[in-house]
Amino acid sequence: MTDDIAPETVDVHRLFHTDQTLDVLRFAHDTLRQGEACALVTLVEINGGSSRALGSMMAVTATGGYCGMVSGGCVEGVVAHEAVQALAENRDRTVKLGKGSSYFDVVLPCGGGIALVVHVLKNADALDAALKAHAQRRTIALTYHPEKQMLSCSEALKTGWQAGVFAVVLPPVLRIVLLGRGLESEVLQRAASALNIETMRDALPADIDEATAVVFLQHDLDKELPLLKQALNSAAFYIGCLGSRRTHEARRSQLLQDGFTEAQIARLSAPVGLFGPVRDARSLAVSVLAEIMSCKLKADTARSAVHA
């Protein structure tokens, strides 16, 4: 921060609206690379209720610009002011808001309390490593060391405090693979893109992982089956198939003949979508996206429970 600007006079302002951690990390990384000071704010403790999950983040510049969310939007201005102060002092700090906080006039709507770590970024090394892992679809954890006031990357499996350090696990983001060239595929791709969800069309990638959903929107079982067999042998968390129940029974019968088990076939969502049979492409797109997001949430919850 420049010496001629007092922290208390800085007008904090949201630069853009997002609650996606990777957006925050990219912004912080770019800010540092441009030679500007930046602080990373992380939600490290929840007492009672909270509108955001543990590990949620904000990035704040020395001039008061910020992005990200650590609550429902009601405390981000206060948090940004604290981050500007930390940047001026070049020293990390912990901020408590809501229940048990010294900010008596800041009350969280959920009635709980949160604790936030404001970390003055010294360099972009850890952010660079995390973003490279993201580009390679590798799970990595961004880890804060309070005693050293530094960030590193680790292989932690769960977000939270572990052995005196706080880790934020960054798994691969949701990716949807669409197979089919019809209107349904086009509309579903547009809908997913509007939500900033990565999509691929017309080919199965070699790196199908636990964050990949595969959607078959073809009208020809003979064309579908070879790729469907590949998908069933992959780690995809969701596989959906267009068609009626009669079509799915034919699909199921062929898969059984080809050596697939009932358990494997049970992974299929068919007819595809949360709403059941629909007759137009827009309704189908919403139905499929809703089902994918629901399945992703369940898979993430189950994975967190395993590592608890």
Side-chain angles (χ1 to χ4, degrees):
M1 184 169 182
T2 56
D3 294 335
D4 58 342
I5 302 177
E8 58 272 13
T9 66
V10 171
D11 179 24
V12 299
H13 53 285
R14 180 184 293 113
L15 296 171
F16 59 94
H17 226 150
T18 183
D19 62 358
Q20 299 299 299
T21 299
L22 286 165
D23 291 341
V24 175
L25 296 182
R26 289 191 190 97
F27 172 78
H29 179 270
D30 292 346
T31 299
L32 291 176
R33 290 302 190 198
Q34 292 166 8
E36 301 177 28
C38 187
L40 193 64
V41 183
T42 307
L43 175 58
V44 299
E45 183 181 324
I46 299 172
N47 180 12
S50 172
S51 57
R52 298 290 161 187
L54 203 66
S56 296
M57 291 183 172
M58 289 175 59
V60 187
T61 69
T63 54
Y66 69 89
C67 66
M69 301 183 74
V70 293
S71 185
C74 52
V75 304
E76 278 68 15
V78 171
V79 174
H81 271 294
E82 288 279 351
V84 170
Q85 292 279 354
L87 285 165
E89 298 172 4
N90 195 31
R91 186 174 182 177
D92 295 0
R93 60 175 61 187
T94 299
V95 180
K96 291 188 175 181
L97 296 172
K99 186 184 298 183
S101 171
S102 59
Y103 281 95
F104 298 109
D105 56 339
V106 179
V107 179
L108 301 183
C110 57
I114 58 175
L116 307 155
V117 164
V118 181
H119 171 55
V120 178
L121 291 163
K122 308 299 189 299
N123 56 63
D125 293 350
L127 300 180
D128 190 53
L131 291 173
K132 285 181 178 177
H134 160 68
Q136 297 166 357
R137 296 191 66 80
R138 291 189 294 110
T139 297
I140 200 166
L142 199 59
T143 304
Y144 174 68
H145 305 257
E147 292 187 1
K148 299 178 181 179
Q149 296 195 4
M150 64 169 284
L151 285 180
S152 69
C153 288
S154 73
E155 301 297 324
L157 297 175
K158 183 182 179 183
T159 294
W161 287 102
Q162 301 159 44
V165 302
F166 188 86
V168 179
V169 177
L170 304 170
V173 297
L174 171 62
R175 173 178 61 181
I176 301 177
V177 179
L178 302 174
L179 299 171
R181 292 179 173 272
L183 178 63
E184 296 93 345
S185 181
E186 294 176 7
V187 174
L188 181 51
Q189 184 179 37
R190 291 201 299 268
S193 297
L195 296 174
N196 200 28
I197 296 173
E198 179 184 346
T199 59
M200 300 178 65
R201 289 183 67 183
D202 301 330
L204 283 176
D207 60 340
I208 297 179
D209 52 36
E210 293 180 347
T212 301
V214 182
V215 185
F216 288 85
L217 297 171
Q218 296 164 319
H219 297 269
D220 187 328
L221 277 183
D222 291 335
K223 291 181 179 179
E224 172 192 287
L225 281 168
L227 292 175
L228 180 57
K229 293 173 185 178
Q230 292 182 44
L232 282 171
N233 285 318
S234 76
F237 78 92
Y238 173 94
I239 306 171
C241 299
L242 186 68
S244 65
R245 289 181 174 82
R246 182 181 300 174
T247 298
H248 183 57
E249 185 54 39
R251 178 187 293 119
R252 175 180 170 277
S253 177
Q254 185 60 57
L255 288 171
L256 286 171
Q257 289 180 36
D258 291 340
F260 286 86
T261 67
E262 291 283 6
Q264 288 176 299
I265 298 171
R267 294 178 59 199
L268 300 178
S269 173
V272 68
L274 194 64
F275 306 162
V278 294
R279 297 294 184 182
D280 67 280
R282 290 187 303 173
S283 297
L284 179 69
V286 174
S287 178
V288 172
L289 282 176
E291 185 172 48
I292 289 174
M293 300 296 281
S294 176
C295 290
K296 183 69 164 57
L297 179 60
K298 291 176 182 177
D300 290 346
T301 301
R303 195 174 300 114
S304 297
V306 169
H307 299 307

